[in-house]
Amino acid sequence: AQSVTQLGSHVSVSEGALVLLRCNYSSSVPPYLFWYVQYPNQGLQLLLKYTSAATLVKGINGFEAEFKKSETSFHLTKPSAHMSDAAEYFCAVSLASSGYSTLTFGKGTMLLVSP
Amino acid sequence: EPEVTQTPSHQVTQMGQEVILRCVPISNHLYFYWYRQILGQKVEFLVSFYNNEISEKSEIFDDQFSVERPDGSNFTLKIRSTKLEDSAMYFCASSGSGPRDSPLHFGNGTRLTVT
């Protein structure tokens, strides 16, 4: 069973538009949740994480995400896209069943930003 | 800022050959991981390593795979007899503690091509 699902393999926005990347998890116990970004030919860089503190989490580069238990979601947003935001974004969960010891990644969403 | 380094960036090998992928984690980190990403697919967990032993491994990490921390600085992944389906980008990661408490820092990856 999928622990984390990212809706949309590609999302296209115009520069200055709102960015919304969707992530849903499946776990009876709220997991810890993460968003990572991967720029071309680079490794994965942590954007932000939720570990049972504030439900609205602010990360680097102006991104933020809100944990909604009722919707089992952790969508990533940014008010105004910049060309440099073009990258692949991965949602990841760390589950109680694994003792929160490992990360399980979603399939990723490629963000395309047009001028 | 300290970073995880991986060598080589690209490895080409023939089916049946042994390969060793090398990683130098961040020096004061205690937890080490290997993940892989087959082209077009999601990042998959292979193995985690702590206190000189494997702490968790996935179904992918069968007897063909092994990990080692030979000298206190390097962390290696060995594939004993490569198969075509082992072609993927392999990422090494390290963290100061588990992903709940400290983020995983990823290297830029080694692209393994098995011909």
Side-chain angles (χ1 to χ4, degrees), chain A residues 2 32 34 36 38 41-44 46 49 51 88 90 94 98 100-107, chain B residues 33 35 37 41-45 48 56 89 91 98-109:
Chain A
Q2 287 284 341
Y32 295 153
F34 307 79
Y36 279 82
Q38 185 180 27
N41 300 315
Q42 294 188 26
L44 297 156
L46 180 68
K49 65 177 182 179
T51 56
E88 190 156 22
F90 294 90
S94 185
S98 71
Y100 302 106
S101 63
T102 62
L103 288 178
T104 300
F105 285 87
K107 291 187 175 182
Chain B
Y33 309 83
Y35 284 79
Q37 185 181 25
Q41 299 185 25
K42 65 179 180 179
V43 178
E44 301 173 292
F45 168 73
S48 59
E56 192 162 348
M89 181 73 90
F91 292 105
R100 172 178 58 176
D101 301 315
S102 67
L104 269 63
H105 293 257
F106 285 84
N108 286 346

Side-chain angles (χ1 to χ4, degrees), chain B:
Chain B
E1 183 179 330
E3 58 182 28
V4 175
T5 57
Q6 290 185 244
T7 55
S9 57
H10 193 181
Q11 174 87 46
V12 181
T13 188
Q14 288 189 327
M15 193 168 53
Q17 295 296 305
E18 175 185 285
V19 293
I20 297 176
L21 309 183
R22 302 182 190 278
C23 170
V24 179
I26 294 173
S27 62
N28 61 347
H29 282 186
L30 302 175
Y31 292 76
F32 313 108
Y33 309 83
W34 283 101
Y35 284 79
R36 79 172 186 190
Q37 185 181 25
I38 295 172
L39 188 63
Q41 299 185 25
K42 65 179 180 179
V43 178
E44 301 173 292
F45 168 73
L46 291 178
V47 65
S48 59
F49 191 86
Y50 170 70
N51 200 26
N52 287 318
E53 62 182 22
I54 291 173
S55 49
E56 192 162 348
K57 61 182 180 180
S58 71
E59 294 175 350
I60 302 167
F61 195 87
D62 61 21
D63 292 343
Q64 294 296 321
F65 292 88
S66 62
V67 289
E68 195 177 30
R69 188 158 161 78
D71 56 12
S73 63
N74 291 283
F75 180 52
T76 61
L77 174 69
K78 181 192 291 187
I79 308 176
R80 187 177 313 131
S81 177
T82 51
K83 302 186 284 285
L84 294 176
E85 53 264 38
D86 294 327
S87 295
M89 181 73 90
Y90 288 81
F91 292 105
C92 173
S94 68
S95 67
S97 56
R100 172 178 58 176
D101 301 315
S102 67
L104 269 63
H105 293 257
F106 285 84
N108 286 346
T110 293
R111 182 169 297 284
L112 176 65
T113 303
V114 182
T115 62

